[in-house]
Amino acid sequence: MVSRRHVLTVFMASPGDVAPERAELTSIVNRINRRSAQDLGWLVELRGWEDTMPGHGRPQGRINPDVESCDVFIGILWRRWGTPTGLSTSGFHEEYEIARARRLNSAEPDLLMYFREVEPSLVNDAGEQLKQVLAFKARLAESQEVLYKQYDSVQQFSSLVEEHLTRILQARALSQRESDQRAVASATGRLSPDSFGPAVTLSALSGNPYMDAEIIA
């Protein structure tokens, strides 16, 4: 009998100055798939602009469908904000706003934001790109809509993201397993849905419950 495998899709959004982090995300996803996802009956699938097929149309418009369907949105910022898309100040910003709009209307996607620490000398004399990053970071802190993490190295970024993604995957797997059990019980009539105890809802699992708020001075 062939078992069904569930897929957790992760979209990574960032400007071009965090290429090492984007590469590390691929390694993180590969490790999670080897170590835990397979045993849980899941597969983590990573998507980004690199995976977009070439073709006619506005480039960012061809990337956005992956943002519109992802389960987890990972945003990474350092010193660059990115290039205007024609509809937004940068590709990252357009992607973030799509994910944010989805999140405001549903339990999807989980929004995970990471900021690489910037040298104080650059903060004190920030150019236009960095100013937009700092302004965005300040808006997140003020609105308290999304909690985020700061990191100072690719190694620390890797440790943080692997922990957060693993915990999200485990929570999703638990919720899905209980949902499947209830469906089987309801269809066969062998057990009532209440036999499995309280449901674990996605709304209870979402909202980045594993990330601490950062305080902007």
Side-chain angles (χ1 to χ4, degrees):
M1 178 172 141
V2 178
S3 59
R4 181 179 61 175
R5 179 169 291 188
H6 300 283
V7 178
L8 183 75
T9 59
V10 178
F11 185 87
M12 53 179 173
S14 76
D17 61 336
V18 289
E21 285 88 334
R22 293 181 73 89
E24 183 60 25
L25 262 173
T26 298
S27 298
I28 292 168
V29 166
N30 289 338
R31 286 197 298 271
I32 292 175
N33 281 329
R34 289 197 310 268
R35 294 174 181 175
S36 57
Q38 185 173 359
D39 291 340
L40 292 170
W42 282 69
L43 173 71
V44 181
E45 182 179 283
L46 184 63
R47 299 177 183 174
W49 64 263
E50 300 93 334
D51 305 302
T52 303
M53 289 286 291
H56 177 73
R58 190 174 68 95
Q60 187 61 48
R62 297 186 62 84
I63 298 170
N64 290 343
D66 281 341
V67 186
E68 293 162 354
S69 62
C70 71
D71 302 307
V72 181
F73 177 93
I74 294 182
I76 315 163
L77 289 174
W78 187 18
R79 297 181 297 190
R80 287 192 57 78
W81 182 243
T83 304
T85 65
L87 296 180
S88 185
T89 55
S90 72
F92 164 81
H93 189 238
E94 186 167 332
E95 292 158 2
Y96 175 82
E97 288 300 324
I98 291 171
R100 175 178 176 271
R102 287 183 58 207
R103 178 68 197 190
L104 290 176
N105 291 290
S106 70
E108 302 285 354
D110 280 296
L111 288 171
L112 307 181
M113 274 300 312
Y114 301 89
F115 290 87
R116 183 164 186 163
E117 292 185 2
V118 179
E119 300 90 329
S121 59
L122 293 178
V123 173
N124 296 332
D125 187 24
E128 286 305 313
Q129 287 279 317
L130 181 54
K131 284 180 180 178
Q132 292 186 83
V133 173
L134 296 175
F136 175 74
K137 187 178 181 182
R139 288 196 299 272
L140 291 188
E142 182 178 359
S143 68
Q144 299 186 7
E145 283 186 356
V146 177
L147 302 180
Y148 61 82
K149 276 291 188 180
Q150 295 188 150
Y151 65 96
D152 58 16
S153 67
V154 175
Q155 182 179 9
Q156 186 183 20
F157 170 82
S158 180
S159 177
L160 288 170
V161 176
E162 185 162 353
E163 177 187 355
H164 298 153
L165 272 184
T166 298
R167 294 178 70 176
I168 287 174
L169 175 66
Q170 291 171 340
R172 295 289 184 107
L174 173 62
S175 179
Q176 186 64 55
R177 183 168 66 247
E178 294 189 350
S179 177
D180 290 345
Q181 289 173 334
R182 286 182 172 80
V184 170
S186 179
T188 61
R190 293 178 184 173
L191 295 171
S192 68
D194 293 336
S195 301
F196 295 98
V200 179
T201 63
L202 286 181
S203 61
L205 300 174
S206 57
N208 308 320
Y210 320 114
M211 304 177 75
D212 299 324
E214 300 286 348
I215 299 175
I216 305 296

